Every structure is written in structure tokens, then in C-alpha cells.
Amino acid sequence: MNKVHNFSAGPCILPQEVLQEASMAATNFDNLGLSILEISHRSKSFVAVMTEAQNLVREMLTIPDDYDVLFLQGGASLGFLISAYTMKEEGKSAQYLDTGSWSKKAIKEAKLIQKVNVLASSSDSNYSYIPKDYEIPVDGSYLHFTSNNTIFGTQYKTFPKSEIPLVADMSSDIFSRKLNVSDFELIYAGAQKNLGPAGSTIYIVKKETLEKISAGTPSMLNLQIQAAKESMFNTPPVFSIYVAMLNLRYMLKNGGLSHYETLAKTRADMIYGEIDRNELFEGTCAIEDRSNMNTTFFLKDESYKERFDSLLTDAKISGLNGHRSVGGYRASMYNALPIESVEIVIDCMKKIENY
Ligand SMILES: *Cc1c(COP(=O)(O)O)cnc(C)c1O
């Protein structure tokens, strides 16, 4: 049925099986004769969804028991502020790595409530690389970074080694790579890049960290309160969490994290291989920092653009246009994207050579 190849940067492609199951729940959920959209979030049926979603996140990422998993609202954009409130320490300054638009926004929010030091930035070359030459001050409160730069197409291949607590916005590469959760005090990620529909945001936070949150923190931004209320301080976005839960089930059934990590590498190798082989194209980022999730590239000769774009349209490729701040093309290849879709893009790249 769905012949469109969806390379959207977010909200992203979801498995057909998940969408079908979700659409059934929209009319009759859990055989209640009611839609999931019209039942109480306190009902037994929905509480079971929330619990399972949290447990599946734990299973997928092998999260230790001394961490809480929360599903909140506001997207990663509110996460910029929530993470700052969670990690802030009187008299210390927060350390940030600036690797693109999302980092910049995180820095802006963090500055509203504390002193911030931008340790390193790649803004000097339109964020085409990940800065590696910096020293982390041991008296900083925490180090914040963006693991994958959705817009510019760079990704940390190894995470910063830090003596101060580590905080990461993993919105666009969570569930696509193995990681050691205990290296972090806080991880947050908007759901709509690699997990489910927009509307929910995951927080993975060390329980010890919650105890340090200042009592003056507004309730909705206070992870200690949110954790004590089991992600139900206010009405949660039930449908978003339900679809995320279905997708987590699907991903675990299909091989879990190792499978999706391998798949991400395979897809990335395929497309970067073609970008590097094909004389007409060029990648925008430093090779060692290239993202496995969002691959950014451009046509060296713009006069091919019209023809290439029409090849893409004919092949039913959707969402391949680059972000306005980079231009060119961006193939976002999140977990549900089949290899076949990547083959079709590569096919178009080869066809334009003979034009
Ligand atoms: C999309 C994105 C965001 C913003 O997410 P919202 O849920 O729209 O607030 C933040 N950080 C990264 C890395 C993203 O890819």
C-alpha cells in the first residue's frame, strides 16, 4: 500500500504494522469498546501501556535500576530547559558543546537560569564537524552535548569522556546505537525522530540526580515531581506514548538495539559510498563525523538539480530536501526505513550520471 519512500527528518517513518495496530486502537482499544483517545489515563488499560513503554525503553537500552524512565511533554525543546533545571548547581557554570541549531537552542535556554560556558563550537564552518579539541573544566556543573546533529548531519561516534556529569540530547539517534547509560546522568529525546509520533519526550535520569533538584523548580519542569507521579503529574499524551510502546515492541521483536545499530551502519555505508563514488555529489561533513541517521550532501553542479529532483519525484522519494540552513539534500534514515528505500535513492543518483 505504502509505496512512498519516507526520508523525512522528523516526524519520521514508522513501521506499517505499528500504524495499523495504532489505528485499530483509535476505535476500539484493549477490547473496551472505547477509543484509546477517550479513556482515562488512570484506567488500568492505559497505566499498563505506560508501564510497558517504560519497561521496553529499559530493555532496549539496558538501563540500570538506579535510573528512572519518564515520558513527558514539550518535546526536546522543553528538554533544553528541563535538563538545565535538573542539572544546575549553585555557584558553578554549565559546560556546553555547540554542534548545531539544536545545541544553540539548548544553550539559549540554559542561559536563562544559570551561567553557561560554551566549551567548543563548530559554527566557524557551518557545523560540518564535531569539535574534539577542548578541555572540560572539572569545576563545571555538567557537560551538555547533542549526540546527533539532525540538521547538519554530524554525529558523535564516541561520547565525550567527562569527570563532570554528562547530559545528552539524543533526540535523533537514540535506539540506533549502543550506549552505556551509566556514563550519563541525564539523557532526553523527543519521540518523533526514532521512536514514535510527536507529543512525548523520553527522560532517562539517574535517581540520585533527582534528589538534587532545587525545590523552587516549577512543577512541570521538575523531574523529581514528574518521577514521583510516574509521568502522570498531568494528563499524558496517551496516543503518542501508546504508539511509541507499539514501536518499541516491534523493534525488540525485530532484533533490538544490535539489529538497528547494524542496520543504521549498513544504510549509511551504502549512501556515503555512493556520495563518494559519484562525481556529481559531495558530502557536507567531515568524513569521520558523518551521521548514520541524517546524511547531508549536495549536487556539485546545480544545473542537474531539476532533473535529479524529478527523478526523485518519479521514484516516490519523499523528504529528501536539505534543511534551509544547509541546502542540498538530506536523507534521514531512521529505524523504520527499509534498505530498499536507500537503494532507490542510490539508483536515482546513478541515473543522473547518465543524463
Ligand atoms: C528535532 C530535534 C529537537 C527538537 O525536538 P522537538 O521535539 O521538536 O522539541 C531537539 N534536538 C534534536 C537533536 C532534534 O533532532
Side-chain angles (χ1 to χ4, degrees), residues 13 40 44 60 70 95 109 112 144 239 261 315 350:
I13 181 170
S40 167
K44 226 173 77 190
M60 189 87 176
L70 308 175
Q95 309 296 317
E109 299 301 305
L112 295 173
H144 178 286
F239 197 63
E261 184 177 71
K350 287 190 166 138

Side-chain angles (χ1 to χ4, degrees), residues 74-77 80 102 146 148 150 169 171-172 190 192-193:
S77 297
F80 301 152
W102 299 119
T146 314
N148 181 71
T150 326
D169 169 6
S171 294
S172 55
Q192 74 275 18
K193 304 284 167 51

Side-chain angles (χ1 to χ4, degrees), residues 217-237:
T217 305
S219 306
M220 281 292 283
L221 310 180
N222 186 331
L223 291 188
Q224 190 178 30
I225 292 175
Q226 297 280 14
K229 298 287 180 188
E230 288 165 356
S231 302
M232 297 212 202
F233 174 76
N234 72 326
T235 314

